Amino acid sequence: MDSKIKEIHQQLVSKQITCTALVQEKLDLLKQNTYNSVNSLLDTLALELAAKVDAKITNGETIGLLEGIPFGIKDVYMVQGTYTTASSDLLKNYKSPYTATAIQKLLDAGAIPLVKENCDSFGHGSSSENTIFGAVKNAVNPELVGGGSSGGSAVNVALDYTVFSIGGDTGGSIRQPAGYNHIYGLKPTYGRISRYGLMAYASSTDCVGPLAKSIEDIRIVLNVMSGKDPKDQTSTTSEEITEEGIAASSIKTVGYFKNFIESEAIDAQIKADFLAAIEKIKAKGIAVKELDFFKSDILVSTYYTLAMAETASNLSRLDGTNYGNRIEGDNLIDTYAVTRSENFSEETKRRIVGGNQVLSQGFSDEIYLKGLALRDQISENFSKDFEEVDVILSPVTPAAPPKIGDSLKDPLAMYLSDAYTVGFSLGQLPTLTVPQGTTTGLQITAAKNNDELVMQFANFLKDTL
């Protein structure tokens, strides 16, 4: 099974390459890159860790599979002693006092962090243009957006600047940029990986996940990061996913949402390509079933109602008092106001204002509680669907990536680009983007805790499409 991690591991063990040379090569690429994918380099740390790996190999010691493998980190994860800016003015000088659990597990396995990666500020966006470091450029066509909010992470993987990267997915922020840049991106089952040390956007749907160029690399990294964490009460225990498990073929029935494909919003070419993929799947003897689901505009409005409410609550701590770029006003209240007004982006302010609106007296019953009820209905709908089908297949986005600048002119269009990803986030389901089928890939979803199944079907599609 294809795996860049295994390939590099073998080269290190057989002394075809040194870890120091490998890391230096990747750092040089990151320094020279013109895609705005880098917020800060971790070059000193990376080279120190690489030297230790080389010393172990020279001494004849055994190294682990991830030991010496260079990776990138979306700039919303704490890594002790490094800048963690969330691509924002407010935190542009903030240094992490601790390390996120998921990242620590990778460090413990010997993986080498190279870079904090550009993203939409606080994860607020679907294009990675909402950032103080400049819009991330698409790896396939630099005139287009890199996707968001994990755009820098996706672009670095696509261009081989990192072997894999760790993104964050709240409503599609791993899956959509993975599709835009023709790589794999996984949003695991909610809770499979600890969120401790990830800056919270919407706590009920935030997920830690990997981006890579192969399914096997996704599997390897997922296994290392997974597990119960006493620091995150929403985290769960999970079984290890084996290479044999995802090489098997147990899927007999695939479903797809008819209203996604019949929507007026879908690009004609993406629709045609999706239906062609369905026919190829049928030709392999797999049953395909049309499913009814909530309209995409209901999914988007439900998701953004809840996500904005949660982000308003989560970002209320950022007032310049304990951390962040404080701007003094005439009094304490004025200091809070000017600090937040000057340091938050327009998109972040839009989401905070929207969130406070739906939580305010007179609106919370009519809007927020209705959103919670709809989320429950969406989850129930999924439970019924997975009684009939093994996995659900869908386009990742209704359209190809827009040109840089277009999304900033039309925030509503940006929200609607998430139409096919947010429903699976509300259901807290495992969903994997694969770079086959349409110009922005396909999305495979399974029932909760069936992360193995989405990778298994991804292997099938790799050989089928």
Side-chain angles (χ1 to χ4, degrees):
M1 198 175 287
D2 292 341
S3 168
K4 195 69 180 173
I5 291 172
K6 289 181 178 178
E7 180 187 326
I8 292 172
H9 175 73
Q10 200 54 48
Q11 290 173 336
L12 290 170
V13 170
S14 61
K15 300 182 182 179
Q16 294 176 50
I17 59 171
T18 67
C19 189
T20 299
L22 171 66
V23 166
Q24 189 61 64
E25 178 194 346
K26 299 294 186 188
L27 288 170
D28 289 343
L29 289 170
L30 287 162
K31 283 176 187 173
Q32 295 160 15
N33 103 85
T34 57
Y35 289 80
N36 293 334
S37 61
V38 175
N39 285 2
S40 60
L41 287 177
L42 311 180
D43 43 359
T44 303
L45 173 62
L47 289 168
E48 285 175 1
L49 294 173
K52 291 178 181 178
V53 174
D54 285 334
K56 284 183 74 171
I57 293 169
T58 300
N59 293 334
E61 297 177 48
T62 302
I63 63 167
L65 187 56
L66 275 182
E67 212 159 344
I69 305 297
F71 74 104
I73 304 166
K74 183 180 181 179
D75 201 6
V76 289
Y77 288 95
M78 302 294 171
V79 179
Q80 189 172 19
T82 71
Y83 287 106
T84 302
T85 72
S87 296
S88 70
D89 271 320
L90 190 68
L91 296 176
K92 62 186 175 186
N93 296 314
Y94 179 71
K95 281 195 173 182
S96 309
Y98 65 97
T99 299
T101 296
I103 305 302
Q104 189 60 56
K105 286 187 172 187
L106 293 168
L107 298 179
D108 292 344
I112 297 181
L114 297 183
V115 56
K116 286 294 196 69
E117 298 167 319
N118 200 1
C119 57
D120 283 302
S121 180
F122 296 105
H124 299 160
S126 304
S127 63
S128 292
E129 294 172 282
N130 176 36
T131 162
I132 63 169
F133 295 101
V136 176
K137 299 175 184 178
N138 189 289
V140 182
N141 180 351
E143 293 184 0
L144 308 180
V145 301
S149 60
S150 308
S153 302
V155 167
N156 284 339
V157 169
L159 295 172
D160 292 317
Y161 296 163
T162 61
V163 177
F164 66 91
S165 285
I166 304 305
D169 192 306
T170 305
S173 294
I174 287 173
R175 291 163 284 156
Q176 186 246 47
Y180 279 4
N181 292 281
H182 302 175
I183 60 170
Y184 292 91
L186 175 69
K187 183 198 85 66
T189 297
Y190 179 81
R192 185 184 179 99
I193 302 173
S194 170
R195 291 181 293 113
Y196 180 75
L198 164 65
M199 286 189 192
Y201 165 17
S203 305
S204 66
T205 57
D206 285 345
C207 287
V208 179
L211 299 104
K213 278 193 163 179
S214 74
I215 304 158
E216 178 64 359
D217 287 348
I218 293 281
R219 182 193 71 83
I220 292 167
V221 176
L222 177 68
N223 279 336
V224 171
M225 293 194 295
S226 297
K228 180 73 177 170
D229 178 13
K231 295 172 182 173
D232 175 8
Q233 294 304 306
T234 63
S235 63
T236 59
T237 55
S238 55
E239 291 185 12
E240 183 173 339
I241 297 171
T242 65
E243 186 175 356
E244 295 74 25
I246 67 170
S249 183
S250 62
I251 293 160
K252 295 182 173 57
T253 310
V254 173
Y256 73 92
F257 294 129
K258 187 171 53 176
N259 59 302
F260 278 15
I261 306 309
E262 293 176 352
S263 166
E264 292 178 5
I266 192 169
D267 178 85
Q269 191 59 54
I270 288 181
K271 177 178 180 177
D273 290 345
F274 179 82
L275 292 174
I278 290 293
E279 291 305 314
K280 289 178 182 177
I281 291 166
K282 286 180 181 176
K284 291 288 185 178
I286 291 178
V288 175
K289 186 176 179 63
E290 289 184 347
L291 302 170
D292 291 316
F293 198 48
F294 291 81
K295 290 182 178 178
S296 53
D297 57 346
I298 292 175
L299 297 174
V300 171
S301 58
T302 302
Y303 167 76
Y304 276 103
T305 294
L306 300 179
M308 286 183 178
E310 291 184 36
T311 202
S313 175
N314 281 324
L315 293 189
S316 63
R317 73 195 77 174
L318 295 180
D319 55 21
T321 302
N322 295 311
Y323 29 67
N325 183 33
R326 182 184 177 99
I327 301 173
E328 295 294 340
D330 295 334
N331 52 54
L332 185 60
I333 292 176
D334 191 43
T335 295
Y336 288 163
V338 72
T339 294
R340 290 165 69 83
S341 295
E342 294 298 320
N343 285 311
F344 281 139
S345 70
E346 291 305 309
E347 183 57 38
T348 295
K349 285 187 278 191
R350 188 178 293 115
R351 296 187 187 208
I352 290 172
V353 169
N356 284 323
Q357 172 83 354
V358 303
L359 290 173
S360 63
Q361 189 174 4
F363 288 94
S364 59
D365 287 358
E366 183 64 28
I367 303 175
Y368 179 66
L369 295 182
K370 187 176 180 181
L372 290 176
L374 274 167
R375 182 174 67 184
D376 290 342
Q377 291 177 39
I378 288 164
S379 292
E380 288 171 16
N381 201 111
F382 280 129
S383 296
K384 291 174 184 174
D385 287 337
F386 287 117
E387 290 173 5
E388 299 182 41
V389 301
D390 298 315
V391 295
I392 293 170
L393 194 66
S394 60
V396 179
T397 61
K403 286 187 175 180
I404 290 173
D406 288 357
S407 295
L408 297 178
K409 298 172 193 169
D410 190 353
L412 181 58
M414 180 182 69
Y415 299 159
L416 292 173
S417 73
D418 297 334
Y420 298 160
T421 55
V422 293
F424 303 121
S425 296
L426 292 167
Q428 302 185 335
L429 306 174
T431 307
L432 174 68
T433 288
V434 301
Q436 294 97 23
T438 79
T439 187
T440 58
L442 293 170
Q443 195 176 197
I444 306 163
T445 306
K448 280 186 185 179
N449 302 313
N450 279 332
D451 302 65
E452 179 180 90
L453 210 56
V454 297
M455 284 184 262
Q456 191 183 112
F457 194 62
N459 263 324
F460 167 83
L461 289 184
K462 179 168 63 74
D463 298 329
T464 302
L465 300 181

